[in-house]
Amino acid sequence: MKLAGLGHLIQVYPLVLFSISSYAAPNAGFLNVLGPQGVNLWMLEKARPLDTSIQHGARMFLAQDSSKLVDQDGSTDFPEQWFQQPLDHFSELSSHTFQQRYWVNKRHYKPGGGGPVIVLDGGETSGEDRIPYLDTGIVEILAKATGGLGVVLEHRYYGESIPVDNFTTDSLRWLSNEQAAADSANFMANVKFEGIDEDLTAPNTPWIYYGGSYAGARAAHMKILYPDLVYGSIASSAVTHAAITNWQYMEIIRQAADPKCSSHLENSIKQIDFILDHKLFSHPLKALFGLAGLKHDVDFVSVVQGPLGSWQSKNWDPAVGSTRFDEFCTALSAPFGNFSAAAELPFNHPERMVPVTTGFSVDFSIINYANYVKKNTVSHCPSSSTVEDCFGTFDDARYQETTLDQDWRLWQFQVCTQWGYFTTAPPDPNHPRIISKRLDLAYESKICKQAFLPGNDFTVPALPNITAVNALGDFAIAADRLAFIDGEVDPWRPDTPHSDDAKGREDTIIRPFKLIPQAVHHWDENGLANSSQEPADIQKIHGETIEFVTEWLKDFKKPGKE
């Protein structure tokens, strides 16, 4: 039916029958890190035919097919199920609803056994991408250890939990941290699980809420906003600190990457900025990268930073992780013709310089950098298009398609309204950097004005209202039975309670505070059917998580009982 009086007409479906295209595009975090250029890369990936033989190449993560996921005895899959939600939890004038998708793991559930419900927040992607965690990951691990029921709950607007028929600014106005949290609370308090007769709703049953990354922040927020429903929360790589600029993301990579690679990156970017500043050789420089036709220097350097986004995709499990960043680093240092013997000499040493054109030479690591970008990024631009068509970001109309297949708009809307995280160069121009100084807030945030035109009922603010997020606790967010688990070299760690800008805290059973050595982004969320094959640090964190959750559960009392 159509909703009248809401500016744009919005279709509300009793059951969402369409599905998002199955290509493997860059994930939401990747889109955010690369700003408007990330959207360009999303569009290029969407236009390319799906090649299922590519696991860790130009494409990011290929989501596992949920229809092929079965119980370990091979008998039962995880069929999608649906729960009716209000479109607007905070308006008594609206009676409109949508269907929210979820999946259930009942392998270890014992009727009347008193086990918990372990719910994993789907976050800013299709819930299907999270089903592996229901099968062998953290949900399965905790459900098995506690005799609990496992659930993956898809986030409103993502996957097939879509309440609208377009992604205009007005139609997206119910995509907020507050509405999504209310969805989870309503689900916990009212869900009836198919094939289960007993009442497993909160607070009569202990619910353990898990999330990673943005969903990790939501896990922490749920414990603060709905403490009577959420018995315990595990917030992994939880970005509880919203920030307008997020320059420290690249700083973590600069410090954690192989020193030789970081040195090549720093020196290359410094030299690229210098050449662009002096303009004389900017055209041959761009031509090296296959980008001579780009009109704006800032678009050029935003393409150049693209390979850095793959750091976040590193994972201990090669089945889901990417080796892309390491391949990039190897390429930067690769032997280059007659200049290979000079590999150990300082950057810009005369014996390392490669002539490009009359009066213009560059260090051979820049040649390697250029060749890598040409092969792995520029080559995706079809021959029928110019590089400006593919990688320019100043054509506003490029970002104004609002059909449901433009799902890049979802996380970008959340970034522009509440979360921020615009990836800029360090504010101190003298600070070492691995991205160009041209990547500033004005450039990285312009997508907000380009993509989200003012609606009749909602206007995206000039800058995100990060106060709405940080008011829930920011770096200091804490509560009993709220655990934080982070990776030491996660580029998002500066936005978590493990940030160097946060106060230190103790690691206790009631308030766990764990840091996984040399880990990147929510590495505890993955698991293997044979846990003995997991790395020692992953086995350790899984064991510690089982320990504190089982201790929490010992203290659970149903409401009204002493």
Side-chain angles (χ1 to χ4, degrees):
M1 66 182 193
K2 294 289 184 179
L3 304 187
L6 293 178
H8 288 79
L9 294 178
I10 300 169
Q11 182 76 39
V12 177
Y13 295 86
L15 180 65
V16 182
L17 300 178
F18 46 81
S19 63
I20 301 303
S21 302
S22 60
Y23 59 87
N27 60 32
F30 180 79
L31 290 172
N32 180 230
V33 168
L34 301 183
Q37 200 60 254
V39 180
N40 286 347
L41 297 175
W42 180 95
M43 291 177 178
L44 288 174
E45 288 299 303
K46 185 181 181 218
R48 297 175 71 210
L50 179 64
D51 180 356
T52 56
S53 69
I54 300 175
Q55 292 290 331
H56 307 301
R59 299 177 186 277
M60 299 296 284
F61 171 65
L62 295 184
Q64 193 167 352
D65 182 354
S66 63
S67 67
K68 297 178 182 177
L69 283 167
V70 297
D71 273 349
Q72 290 167 344
D73 63 4
S75 61
T76 309
D77 63 2
F78 304 122
E80 59 188 22
Q81 301 179 52
W82 303 89
F83 180 83
Q84 183 170 286
Q85 291 282 12
L87 177 65
D88 188 345
H89 289 273
F90 308 112
S91 173
E92 296 180 357
L93 301 177
S94 174
S95 61
H96 306 295
T97 62
F98 73 99
Q99 296 291 324
Q100 186 174 27
R101 189 166 57 158
Y102 66 99
W103 298 262
V104 180
N105 174 349
K106 295 188 283 188
R107 290 174 186 157
H108 309 290
Y109 164 73
K110 298 177 179 62
V117 177
I118 313 295
V119 59
L120 185 142
D121 190 301
E124 74 287 21
T125 187
S126 168
E128 292 181 3
D129 294 349
R130 310 302 193 189
I131 294 178
Y133 307 135
L134 192 67
D135 183 47
T136 61
I138 192 65
V139 179
E140 163 68 9
I141 291 166
L142 290 176
K144 182 177 181 180
T146 62
L149 190 78
V151 178
V152 167
L153 182 63
E154 189 168 67
H155 193 295
R156 63 165 51 206
Y157 284 81
Y158 290 92
E160 295 188 5
S161 299
I162 304 177
V164 294
D165 68 353
N166 59 58
F167 290 152
T168 63
T169 303
D170 276 344
S171 293
L172 291 172
R173 70 186 187 273
W174 298 282
L175 177 54
S176 69
N177 197 39
E178 296 79 11
Q179 295 282 4
D183 284 342
S184 296
N186 189 40
F187 179 84
M188 296 168 66
N190 295 290
V191 66
K192 305 297 182 185
F193 292 109
E194 183 178 331
I196 295 178
D197 292 332
E198 68 178 314
D199 179 5
L200 295 182
T201 58
N204 299 308
T205 297
W207 281 64
I208 306 297
Y209 202 107
Y210 181 98
S213 192
Y214 159 67
R218 283 178 38 72
H221 293 165
M222 287 298 297
K223 184 61 179 163
I224 302 301
L225 291 169
Y226 298 99
D228 294 337
L229 297 176
V230 179
Y231 183 69
S233 278
I234 304 169
S236 178
S237 295
V239 288
T240 58
H241 172 71
I244 299 297
T245 60
N246 195 32
W247 69 272
Q248 290 168 302
Y249 182 101
M250 293 298 178
E251 180 65 4
I252 289 286
I253 298 173
R254 186 186 72 83
Q255 293 183 357
D258 176 80
K260 188 174 183 179
C261 182
S262 284
S263 177
H264 282 312
L265 281 168
E266 287 180 37
N267 287 314
S268 294
I269 292 301
K270 185 176 180 180
Q271 187 70 14
I272 287 169
D273 274 344
F274 178 84
I275 295 167
L276 294 176
D277 285 346
H278 291 80
K279 299 189 182 300
L280 180 61
F281 296 112
S282 60
H283 187 272
L285 173 68
K286 291 179 184 179
L288 275 178
F289 287 78
L291 296 167
L294 270 184
K295 297 177 182 177
H296 299 275
D297 290 349
V298 67
D299 283 339
F300 166 66
V301 294
S302 71
V303 176
V304 168
Q305 76 159 332
L308 306 183
S310 59
W311 177 274
Q312 184 177 325
S313 300
K314 292 163 73 80
N315 194 278
W316 61 268
D317 182 359
V320 299
S322 169
T323 58
R324 198 70 170 170
F325 187 89
D326 294 333
E327 293 164 5
F328 168 60
C329 279
T330 298
L332 285 184
S333 304
F336 185 80
N338 297 329
F339 297 88
S340 300
E344 301 305 318
L345 294 174
F347 186 90
N348 271 355
H349 187 282
E351 294 182 23
R352 290 175 58 100
M353 303 302 285
V354 180
V356 177
T357 188
T358 304
F360 179 49
S361 300
V362 296
D363 187 278
F364 76 76
S365 63
I366 293 181
I367 302 291
N368 285 339
Y369 200 156
N371 288 337
Y372 184 91
V373 170
K374 278 193 295 188
K375 178 181 178 181
N376 294 283
T377 304
V378 180
S379 64
H380 297 182
C381 186
S383 58
S384 58
S385 301
T386 67
V387 292
E388 183 65 23
D389 293 333
C390 292
F391 304 111
T393 68
F394 287 84
D395 178 4
D396 295 352
R398 181 174 177 82
Y399 307 109
Q400 293 174 358
E401 179 62 54
T402 60
T403 52
L404 293 178
D405 62 338
Q406 302 296 307
D407 57 350
W408 64 268
R409 295 177 65 83
L410 301 175
W411 178 240
Q412 192 66 60
F413 180 83
Q414 293 186 261
V415 162
C416 293
T417 53
Q418 292 188 305
W419 291 86
Y421 303 132
F422 299 110
T423 308
T424 60
D428 180 355
N430 296 317
H431 194 286
R433 62 184 185 275
I434 57 175
I435 63 173
S436 171
K437 64 184 180 182
R438 287 168 167 75
L439 295 172
D440 57 14
L441 178 60
Y443 177 78
E444 296 295 334
S445 66
K446 71 185 177 70
I447 187 72
C448 297
K449 291 182 180 179
Q450 293 175 298
F452 304 110
L453 302 178
N456 294 324
D457 300 292
F458 188 83
T459 299
V460 170
L463 288 174
N465 178 21
I466 60 173
T467 301
V469 173
N470 292 336
L472 297 174
D474 205 326
F475 289 133
I477 188 170
D480 289 351
R481 298 189 302 277
L482 170 54
F484 289 100
I485 302 174
D486 290 301
E488 183 181 19
V489 293
D490 183 355
W492 289 103
R493 183 171 62 81
D495 302 298
T496 75
H498 271 102
S499 168
D500 293 341
D501 296 327
K503 291 183 178 180
R505 58 176 87 179
E506 291 184 36
D507 173 27
T508 65
I509 289 290
I510 196 66
R511 296 188 176 192
F513 195 63
K514 312 286 186 181
L515 189 66
I516 308 173
Q518 293 302 301
V520 189
H521 208 43
H522 49 82
W523 274 18
D524 60 304
E525 200 161 4
N526 300 95
L528 299 179
N530 182 354
S531 61
S532 67
Q533 296 178 353
E534 297 170 356
D537 284 331
I538 301 304
Q539 291 187 51
K540 180 174 184 287
I541 193 62
H542 286 162
E544 291 174 346
T545 303
I546 291 170
E547 179 185 11
F548 66 67
V549 168
T550 53
E551 287 297 316
W552 290 354
L553 293 173
K554 290 177 183 178
D555 295 329
F556 177 74
K557 295 181 178 63
K558 286 191 175 184
K561 293 188 177 182
E562 295 297 328

Coordinates of all heavy atoms in Angstrom, one line a residue, residues 3 5-10 87-88 157 163-175 402 409 413 417 451-460:
L3 N 1.9 5.0 1.3 CA 1.8 5.8 2.5 C 1.6 7.3 2.1 O 2.4 7.9 1.5 CB 3.1 5.8 3.4 CG 3.5 4.4 3.8 CD1 4.7 4.5 4.8 CD2 2.4 3.6 4.5
G5 N 0.9 11.4 2.6 CA 1.3 12.4 3.6 C 2.7 12.4 4.1 O 3.0 12.9 5.1
L6 N 3.6 11.6 3.4 CA 5.0 11.4 3.8 C 6.0 12.0 2.8 O 7.1 11.6 2.7 CB 5.3 10.0 4.1 CG 4.5 9.3 5.2 CD1 4.9 7.8 5.3 CD2 4.8 10.0 6.5
G7 N 5.5 13.0 2.1 CA 6.4 13.7 1.1 C 6.5 12.8 -0.1 O 5.7 12.9 -1.0
H8 N 7.5 11.9 -0.2 CA 7.6 10.9 -1.2 C 6.7 9.8 -0.9 O 6.5 9.4 0.3 CB 9.0 10.4 -1.4 CG 9.9 11.4 -2.0 ND1 10.4 12.4 -1.3 CD2 10.3 11.6 -3.3 CE1 11.2 13.2 -2.1 NE2 11.1 12.7 -3.3
L9 N 6.0 9.2 -1.9 CA 5.2 8.0 -1.6 C 6.1 6.8 -1.4 O 7.1 6.6 -2.1 CB 4.3 7.7 -2.8 CG 3.2 8.8 -3.0 CD1 2.4 8.4 -4.3 CD2 2.3 8.9 -1.8
I10 N 5.9 6.1 -0.3 CA 6.8 5.0 0.1 C 6.0 3.7 0.1 O 4.9 3.6 0.7 CB 7.3 5.3 1.5 CG1 8.1 6.6 1.4 CG2 8.2 4.2 2.0 CD1 8.5 7.1 2.7
L87 N 7.6 0.9 11.0 CA 8.5 1.7 10.3 C 9.1 2.8 11.2 O 10.3 3.1 11.1 CB 7.8 2.4 9.1 CG 8.5 3.3 8.2 CD1 9.7 2.7 7.5 CD2 7.6 4.0 7.2
D88 N 8.3 3.4 12.0 CA 8.7 4.4 12.9 C 8.3 4.1 14.3 O 7.1 4.1 14.7 CB 8.1 5.8 12.5 CG 8.6 7.0 13.3 OD1 9.3 6.7 14.3 OD2 8.4 8.1 12.8
Y157 N 16.7 -1.8 6.4 CA 17.1 -1.2 5.1 C 18.2 -2.1 4.4 O 18.4 -1.9 3.2 CB 17.7 0.2 5.2 CG 16.6 1.3 5.4 CD1 16.1 1.5 6.6 CD2 16.2 2.1 4.3 CE1 15.1 2.5 6.8 CE2 15.3 3.1 4.5 CZ 14.7 3.3 5.7 OH 13.8 4.3 5.9
P163 N 12.1 -1.3 4.0 CA 10.8 -0.9 4.2 C 10.2 0.1 3.2 O 9.1 0.6 3.4 CB 10.9 -0.2 5.6 CG 12.3 0.4 5.6 CD 13.1 -0.6 4.8
V164 N 11.0 0.5 2.2 CA 10.7 1.6 1.3 C 10.9 1.1 -0.1 O 11.5 0.0 -0.4 CB 11.5 2.8 1.6 CG1 11.2 3.4 2.9 CG2 13.0 2.5 1.5
D165 N 10.4 1.9 -1.1 CA 10.5 1.5 -2.5 C 11.5 2.3 -3.2 O 11.7 2.2 -4.5 CB 9.2 1.5 -3.2 CG 8.6 2.9 -3.4 OD1 9.2 3.8 -2.8 OD2 7.6 3.0 -4.1
N166 N 12.3 3.2 -2.5 CA 13.4 3.9 -3.1 C 14.3 4.4 -2.0 O 13.9 4.3 -0.8 CB 12.9 5.1 -4.0 CG 12.0 6.1 -3.2 OD1 12.5 6.6 -2.2 ND2 10.8 6.3 -3.6
F167 N 15.4 4.9 -2.4 CA 16.4 5.4 -1.4 C 16.6 6.9 -1.5 O 17.8 7.4 -1.5 CB 17.7 4.6 -1.6 CG 17.7 3.2 -1.1 CD1 18.5 2.2 -1.7 CD2 16.8 2.8 -0.2 CE1 18.5 0.9 -1.3 CE2 16.7 1.4 0.3 CZ 17.6 0.5 -0.3
T168 N 15.5 7.6 -1.7 CA 15.6 9.1 -1.6 C 15.9 9.5 -0.2 O 15.8 8.8 0.7 CB 14.3 9.7 -2.1 OG1 13.3 9.3 -1.1 CG2 13.9 9.3 -3.5
T169 N 16.3 10.8 -0.1 CA 16.6 11.3 1.3 C 15.4 11.1 2.2 O 15.5 10.7 3.4 CB 16.9 12.8 1.2 OG1 18.1 13.0 0.3 CG2 17.3 13.4 2.5
D170 N 14.2 11.5 1.7 CA 13.0 11.3 2.6 C 12.8 9.8 3.0 O 12.5 9.5 4.1 CB 11.8 11.8 1.9 CG 11.6 13.3 2.0 OD1 12.2 13.9 3.0 OD2 10.8 13.9 1.3
S171 N 13.0 8.9 2.0 CA 12.7 7.5 2.3 C 13.8 6.9 3.2 O 13.5 5.9 3.9 CB 12.8 6.7 1.0 OG 11.7 7.1 0.1
L172 N 14.9 7.6 3.3 CA 16.0 7.1 4.2 C 15.9 7.6 5.6 O 16.7 7.2 6.5 CB 17.4 7.4 3.6 CG 17.7 6.6 2.3 CD1 19.0 7.2 1.8 CD2 17.9 5.1 2.6
R173 N 15.0 8.5 5.9 CA 15.0 9.2 7.2 C 14.7 8.3 8.4 O 15.0 8.7 9.5 CB 14.0 10.4 7.2 CG 12.5 10.1 7.2 CD 11.8 11.4 7.0 NE 10.3 11.3 7.1 CZ 9.5 11.0 6.1 NH1 10.0 10.7 4.9 NH2 8.2 11.0 6.3
W174 N 14.2 7.1 8.2 CA 14.0 6.1 9.3 C 15.2 5.2 9.4 O 15.2 4.3 10.2 CB 12.8 5.3 9.0 CG 11.5 6.1 9.0 CD1 10.8 6.7 10.0 CD2 10.8 6.5 7.8 NE1 9.7 7.3 9.6 CE2 9.7 7.3 8.2 CE3 11.0 6.3 6.4 CZ2 8.8 7.8 7.3 CZ3 10.1 6.8 5.5 CH2 9.0 7.6 6.0
L175 N 16.3 5.5 8.7 CA 17.5 4.7 8.9 C 18.4 5.5 9.9 O 19.3 6.3 9.5 CB 18.2 4.6 7.5 CG 19.6 3.8 7.5 CD1 19.5 2.5 8.1 CD2 20.1 3.7 6.1
T402 N 18.3 6.8 -7.1 CA 17.8 6.4 -5.8 C 17.0 5.1 -5.8 O 16.3 4.8 -4.9 CB 16.9 7.5 -5.3 OG1 15.8 7.7 -6.2 CG2 17.6 8.8 -5.1
R409 N 24.1 3.7 -0.9 CA 23.5 4.9 -0.3 C 23.2 4.7 1.2 O 23.1 5.7 1.9 CB 22.2 5.3 -1.0 CG 22.4 5.8 -2.5 CD 21.1 6.1 -3.2 NE 20.4 7.3 -2.6 CZ 20.7 8.5 -2.8 NH1 21.7 8.9 -3.7 NH2 20.0 9.5 -2.3
F413 N 24.5 7.2 3.9 CA 23.5 8.1 4.6 C 23.7 8.1 6.1 O 23.7 9.2 6.7 CB 22.1 7.6 4.3 CG 21.0 8.4 4.9 CD1 20.5 9.5 4.4 CD2 20.4 7.9 6.2 CE1 19.5 10.2 5.0 CE2 19.4 8.7 6.8 CZ 18.9 9.8 6.2
T417 N 24.7 11.4 8.3 CA 23.8 11.9 9.3 C 24.2 11.8 10.7 O 23.9 12.7 11.5 CB 22.4 11.3 9.1 OG1 22.6 9.8 9.1 CG2 21.7 11.7 7.8
A451 N 24.8 13.4 -3.0 CA 23.9 12.3 -3.1 C 22.5 12.5 -2.5 O 21.5 11.9 -2.9 CB 24.6 11.1 -2.5
F452 N 22.5 13.3 -1.4 CA 21.3 13.4 -0.6 C 20.7 14.8 -0.7 O 20.9 15.6 0.2 CB 21.6 12.9 0.8 CG 22.2 11.6 0.9 CD1 23.5 11.4 1.3 CD2 21.4 10.4 0.6 CE1 24.1 10.2 1.4 CE2 22.0 9.2 0.7 CZ 23.3 9.0 1.1
L453 N 19.9 15.0 -1.8 CA 19.3 16.3 -1.9 C 18.2 16.5 -0.9 O 17.6 15.5 -0.4 CB 18.6 16.3 -3.3 CG 19.6 16.1 -4.5 CD1 18.8 16.1 -5.8 CD2 20.7 17.1 -4.5
P454 N 18.0 17.7 -0.4 CA 17.0 18.0 0.6 C 15.6 17.4 0.1 O 15.2 17.6 -1.0 CB 17.0 19.5 0.7 CG 18.3 19.9 0.2 CD 18.7 19.0 -0.9
G455 N 15.0 16.8 1.1 CA 13.6 16.2 0.8 C 12.6 17.1 1.3 O 12.8 18.2 1.9
N456 N 11.4 16.7 1.2 CA 10.2 17.4 1.7 C 10.1 17.3 3.2 O 9.6 18.2 3.9 CB 8.9 17.0 1.1 CG 8.8 17.3 -0.4 OD1 9.3 18.3 -0.8 ND2 8.3 16.3 -1.1
D457 N 10.6 16.2 3.7 CA 10.5 15.9 5.2 C 11.8 15.7 5.9 O 11.8 15.6 7.1 CB 9.7 14.6 5.3 CG 8.3 14.6 4.7 OD1 7.5 15.4 5.3 OD2 8.1 14.0 3.7
F458 N 12.9 15.7 5.2 CA 14.2 15.5 5.9 C 15.3 16.1 5.0 O 15.3 16.0 3.8 CB 14.5 14.0 6.1 CG 15.7 13.7 6.9 CD1 15.6 13.7 8.3 CD2 17.0 13.5 6.4 CE1 16.7 13.5 9.1 CE2 18.1 13.3 7.1 CZ 17.9 13.3 8.5
T459 N 16.2 16.8 5.7 CA 17.4 17.3 5.1 C 18.7 16.8 5.8 O 18.7 16.8 7.1 CB 17.4 18.9 5.2 OG1 16.3 19.3 4.4 CG2 18.7 19.5 4.6
V460 N 19.6 16.3 5.1 CA 20.9 15.8 5.7 C 21.6 17.0 6.2 O 21.7 18.1 5.6 CB 21.7 15.1 4.6 CG1 23.1 14.8 5.2 CG2 21.0 13.8 4.3

